[in-house]
Amino acid sequence: MSDLNQVYLQGRLTKSAELTTLSTGTPLVRLSLAVNKSIKDKAGNWNQVTSFFDCDYFGEYASKAVPELTKGREVLVEGELKQDRWEKDGKSFSAIKIRASKVRPLRRPGEGKSSTPATAASQPTYDAPEPDYPPDWDNIDNPEN
C-alpha cells in the first residue's frame, strides 16, 4: 500500500504573494491562505472558524502567477503537506506547510458570490510541472525567518 499526501484548499490570500529565488536559481513564491469554515455550536448558532496556512510554490509557473496572487484574492491550491524541522537554542521546532503544485486564482476581492464570476475556463491555472529532481529543501529558509 502506498501513502497518500494530497491536499486541496480554497480560501483567500492574507497578503500578496512574495517572490524570492533560491540559491539554485529556482523561483519560490510564498503564499499565506485563510480558509473559513462554518460550524454550529451547541446552542444552534453558526460560528465562523478561520485556519491559516503557509504555502510554498516553486518554479517558473509560480513566478508567472505572482501578478494574480494579490491580498484578498480567492484561490484554489492543490499540493501536499511538508513538515519543516529545525533547532534553535537547543529547542526543536516544526511547522507544516503546503507545497503547492497548482494554484488557480478565483474571485477577486469585492466579487461576491452574487456577482457573475468568470468561467473556470477563462481563469488561468498555474500548474507547475513535476521537477526532474526533488527541490533542495535544505536551501529553503526556515519558517522562523
Side-chain angles (χ1 to χ4, degrees):
M1 180 169 107
S2 66
D3 296 334
L4 177 64
N5 182 358
Q6 190 72 32
V7 63
Y8 295 88
L9 295 171
Q10 183 174 333
R12 294 206 178 265
L13 297 174
T14 62
K15 58 184 177 180
S16 294
E18 297 172 1
L19 175 63
T20 60
T21 304
L22 301 178
S23 60
T24 60
T26 303
L28 167 62
V29 175
R30 291 209 160 129
L31 308 172
S32 181
L33 188 65
V35 178
N36 297 317
K37 178 180 180 179
S38 294
I39 59 171
K40 196 181 236 184
D41 63 19
K42 291 180 182 180
N45 299 315
W46 287 96
N47 296 303
Q48 185 170 316
V49 177
T50 305
S51 297
F52 297 91
F53 300 95
D54 292 327
C55 305
D56 287 340
Y57 189 30
F58 296 90
E60 292 301 319
Y61 286 91
S63 62
K64 290 178 183 178
V66 170
E68 294 285 331
L69 302 176
T70 56
K71 181 178 179 177
R73 182 74 187 252
E74 187 175 359
V75 296
L76 176 63
V77 175
E78 177 182 342
E80 63 185 20
L81 298 177
K82 166 74 172 84
Q83 183 179 26
D84 290 331
R85 296 179 187 189
W86 69 99
E87 286 191 24
K88 183 177 181 181
D89 299 329
K91 294 181 183 179
S92 297
F93 298 89
S94 72
I96 303 290
K97 286 187 176 184
I98 310 301
R99 182 185 183 271
S101 57
K102 292 182 184 180
V103 175
R104 177 181 289 259
L106 301 173
R107 287 186 289 267
R108 289 180 174 83
E111 288 182 353
K113 291 182 180 179
S114 61
S115 67
T116 307
T119 63
S122 68
Q123 294 292 321
T125 297
Y126 298 96
D127 183 3
E130 286 297 316
D132 294 334
Y133 54 89
D136 185 0
W137 294 107
D138 293 331
N139 285 323
I140 298 173
D141 296 332
N142 286 329
E144 63 184 323
N145 294 337

